[in-house]
Amino acid sequence: METQTNNLNTYRILYIIKGIFNLLGAVFFIGYGFFMNFIFTEVNQNAETPFDMSTFFGIICGIGFVVSLIFGIVTLMGAKYIGEARNYTFVLIVAILNCLTGILGILLGIFSIIEINKPHIKALFDQNK
């Protein structure tokens, strides 16, 4: 009987790296929000503006923080499930979601979708339910 090899451990490591990048993106949004709040607080003291720009950037940075945090956590959970070779549907959804997050996410998502759709990998996921 022929032994089938897989790259699941490599994808697990890449998903961990991608999850850490997403979490660093969340930290970036926090820092950027505080910086812009400081800048626009100084600007609003010196000029009349039609609306408070610091609130606008605070909302945008808050949304970016939450989205980056969610993507980071979900990607790290996907890495855990890839390493354990279980929750096939969750891993597939995480791979599809990663296709929405830039070039690294697109490449990682496409290649992991290709890998987990191989018959012997599906059998491994079914075996570890």
Side-chain angles (χ1 to χ4, degrees):
M1 181 172 165
E2 178 181 328
T3 303
Q4 299 283 337
T5 61
N6 62 51
N7 297 318
L8 291 180
N9 193 40
T10 303
Y11 287 112
R12 182 185 64 84
I13 293 169
L14 291 174
Y15 269 85
I16 290 171
I17 292 169
K18 178 72 170 57
I20 291 170
F21 281 155
N22 285 339
L23 293 177
L24 287 175
V27 171
F28 166 78
F29 278 113
I30 290 174
Y32 188 71
F34 283 129
F35 176 73
M36 290 311 242
N37 187 23
F38 173 74
I39 294 296
F40 284 116
T41 301
E42 296 296 320
V43 168
N44 283 340
Q45 290 177 357
N46 300 331
E48 291 286 328
T49 56
F51 60 93
D52 188 16
M53 290 294 290
S54 62
T55 304
F56 175 72
F57 274 98
I59 291 170
I60 296 298
C61 290
I63 292 170
F65 169 76
V66 169
V67 169
S68 294
L69 187 67
I70 289 170
F71 269 95
I73 291 169
V74 167
T75 304
L76 290 174
M77 287 174 62
K80 176 183 179 270
Y81 292 142
I82 287 174
E84 296 172 353
R86 59 187 192 103
N87 289 344
Y88 175 82
T89 306
F90 183 81
V91 172
L92 183 63
I93 290 171
V94 169
I96 292 169
L97 285 176
N98 272 315
C99 290
L100 304 173
T101 61
I103 190 69
L104 178 61
I106 292 169
L107 292 174
L108 182 60
I110 289 172
F111 287 124
S112 59
I113 289 170
I114 291 170
E115 179 71 20
I116 65 174
N117 279 321
K118 292 178 181 176
H120 65 279
I121 302 295
K122 278 187 177 181
L124 182 63
F125 274 89
D126 288 339
Q127 175 185 355
N128 291 335
K129 277 191 175 181

